[in-house]
Amino acid sequence: MSTLTESPVRAPGRTYSRWASLIVLCAGALMTILDGSIVTVAMPAMQNDLGFSRAGLAWVVNAYLIPFGGLLLLVGRLGDLLGRKRMFTAGLAVFTAASVLCGTANSQALLIAARAVQGAGGAMASAVVLGMLVALFPEPREQARAIAVFSAVGAGGATLGTFLGGALTQLLSWHWIFLINLPIGIAAWLAAVRVLAPERGAGLRDGADYPGAALVTGALMLTVYVIVGSGGRGTTTTLLLALLAVALFAAFAVRQARAASPLLRPRLFRSRLLTGANTVQILMIATMYGFQFIGALYLQRVLGFDELTTGLAFLPAPVAIGLLMMGLSARSIGRFGAYRVLLAGLVLISGGMALLSRAPDDGSYVTDVLPPMLLLAAGFAAAMPPLTQLAMSGAREEDAGLASGLFNTTQVVGGSLGLAVLSTLAASRTDGLLGHGAELVPATAEGYRLAFRVATAVALAALALAAATLRTRKSIRKS
């Protein structure tokens, strides 16, 4: 079994530690991951302070997601061309500066504009991380362990953000959910400049397809906009915007087939592992977002928890995810193979969602929420590292930054899609029951149960797709 020994990276006149580099990459990624969930609990306080309407408040989240999801592919490719360290450190600087603007915002317009800049910085820092990680750890066992550590930080950070958002808002103010990024960002930037080995990109002449970049960035941003804002628009408007997004994607595909140096090389999607893993991730992340957001609403609106108690109730999830990912995932992948471990994780996720779909009106946290939460945490801890490894193993070294950006993009699309669809289904079911004279709490609980049932079906679809597309020759020989 491999151990976390120092495996240096050589550069002219200096030796760089790969494991120290992993810590820096995790610290930088943690800021952007925390930001995705830390805002949720603080949104009522922002609404009261800045006078947001219910529709306007959604743009505190949407203004971040749209540039984040839309720019990941472009900045991932630019990281390959200009140098991934350069892109990562620039992203940290932009994200940290924008966080200060968010934390000091005294108007709706300033907060939303700063959130958009923050999303762009988050995309720059996030898009190249997996590519850097795979290049640092080419040996399969060490790579599995490094991915497990990185995935544990990401998964734990997403859930930990719910707790931190409630704690900082209740004890200080909502401004501090952003201002806390200032010391973390400065420390991460200084460490990145010092610890990460310098590298040369291929150069802009080797792949700067600017028309293609404009088409795919516009298509991705419009897609995320359609997903996250679907509940506040009419059906006709949503359909027209969706058709425009499809048209932009079609134009991008035509451009890539004809460009001398395409932004997204068609050969990338010839990899069954990369295409299959990204599709599975969309379904799996949509399911997990259903747990994170609908689960938090169930605790607050059905069980009567306040913000801080809700955050505390979610703490077992990141603890379980961190312990299982770092303690068992790499060993399990080494022993059973990524394919089998992934399937086992998806089975646990499906079981956890199925249990949540039975959550009663007068439920108990200990008996009705904690057991499925732990199943979901165990399933995600098992599934995410092998899924990441399978996706990145399907890309060539020169495409690692682009593959990393693609993998992060499908995370954003999956999360946004899951949040929009599941929350809309829950609200529609609740409104329908209230219209027929049902009481508020039972009607609300039934809406959430419907969302959990649909999420269970989505998890089962991810399991079936993974079983059909991600079986490797190595796993076949082991069978």
Side-chain angles (χ1 to χ4, degrees), residues 283 286-287 353 357 418 421-422 425-426 447-461:
L283 299 175
T287 301
M353 291 306 305
S357 67
V421 171
L422 296 176
L425 285 173
Y448 297 153
R449 283 193 292 268
L450 173 62
F452 289 139
R453 287 194 292 270
V454 173
T456 303
V458 173
L460 290 171

Side-chain angles (χ1 to χ4, degrees), residues 51-339:
F52 279 104
S53 65
R54 290 186 68 179
L57 186 63
W59 283 101
V60 176
V61 175
N62 297 350
Y64 180 85
L65 285 177
I66 290 170
F68 186 90
L71 291 172
L72 280 167
L73 274 182
L74 173 59
V75 296
R77 184 57 181 161
L78 288 176
D80 290 334
L81 301 177
L82 299 174
R84 295 172 201 152
K85 176 181 177 179
R86 185 179 299 173
M87 183 62 68
F88 180 74
T89 53
L92 288 180
V94 172
F95 184 89
T96 303
S99 295
V100 175
L101 288 176
C102 289
T104 56
N106 57 6
S107 69
Q108 297 179 22
L110 179 56
L111 178 59
I112 290 173
R115 286 285 285 164
V117 177
Q118 202 182 24
M124 293 166 66
S126 301
V128 295
V129 170
L130 285 177
M132 297 173 76
L133 190 151
V134 170
L136 283 168
F137 300 94
E139 195 276 321
R141 282 185 175 271
E142 284 193 337
Q143 186 180 106
R145 180 164 293 187
I147 287 176
V149 171
F150 179 77
S151 299
V153 170
T159 310
L160 188 61
T162 306
F163 165 71
L164 289 177
L168 289 171
T169 302
Q170 193 159 321
L171 298 176
L172 297 172
S173 74
W174 66 264
H175 298 276
W176 284 95
I177 68 171
F178 300 115
L179 294 176
I180 195 174
N181 288 331
L182 178 58
I184 298 173
I186 291 174
W189 186 87
L190 291 173
V193 171
R194 175 72 179 168
V195 171
L196 297 180
E199 59 172 355
R200 267 189 191 175
L204 289 177
R205 293 180 180 178
D206 287 351
D209 177 20
Y210 296 111
L215 286 170
V216 74
T217 301
L220 284 168
M221 284 188 172
L222 186 57
T223 298
V224 177
Y225 173 71
V226 169
I227 292 170
V228 299
S230 58
R233 291 188 298 266
T235 303
T236 302
T237 301
T238 298
L239 180 60
L240 289 174
L241 290 173
L243 289 175
L244 178 57
V246 170
L248 289 174
F249 275 121
F252 172 70
V254 172
R255 170 68 189 177
Q256 297 314 283
R258 297 178 178 177
S261 299
L263 174 67
L264 187 58
R265 296 184 177 93
R267 70 164 185 253
L268 201 64
F269 293 100
R270 294 172 192 160
S271 168
R272 173 177 52 85
L273 292 180
L274 185 143
T275 303
N278 276 279
T279 307
V280 168
Q281 178 173 235
I282 290 175
L283 299 175
M284 185 180 78
I285 296 297
T287 301
M288 294 303 297
Y289 261 61
F291 155 67
Q292 184 174 338
F293 288 95
I294 306 298
L297 291 174
Y298 174 81
L299 290 175
Q300 291 177 317
R301 296 181 180 176
V302 177
L303 300 190
F305 286 24
D306 61 23
E307 291 88 351
L308 183 57
T309 308
T310 300
L312 288 170
F314 270 83
L315 272 183
V319 172
I321 288 171
L323 291 175
L324 290 171
M325 276 189 178
M326 291 188 286
L328 297 177
S329 286
R331 264 183 279 179
S332 299
I333 293 171
R335 181 174 180 180
F336 300 107
Y339 173 78

Side-chain angles (χ1 to χ4, degrees), residues 272-273 276-277 280 283 338-340 342-344 346-347 387 390 459-472 475-476:
R272 173 177 52 85
L273 292 180
V280 168
L283 299 175
Y339 173 78
R340 291 176 175 174
L342 171 61
L343 294 188
L346 290 172
V347 168
L387 186 64
L390 287 167
L460 290 171
L463 174 61
L465 182 62
T469 63
L470 299 182
R471 189 175 180 87
T472 62
S475 68
I476 292 172

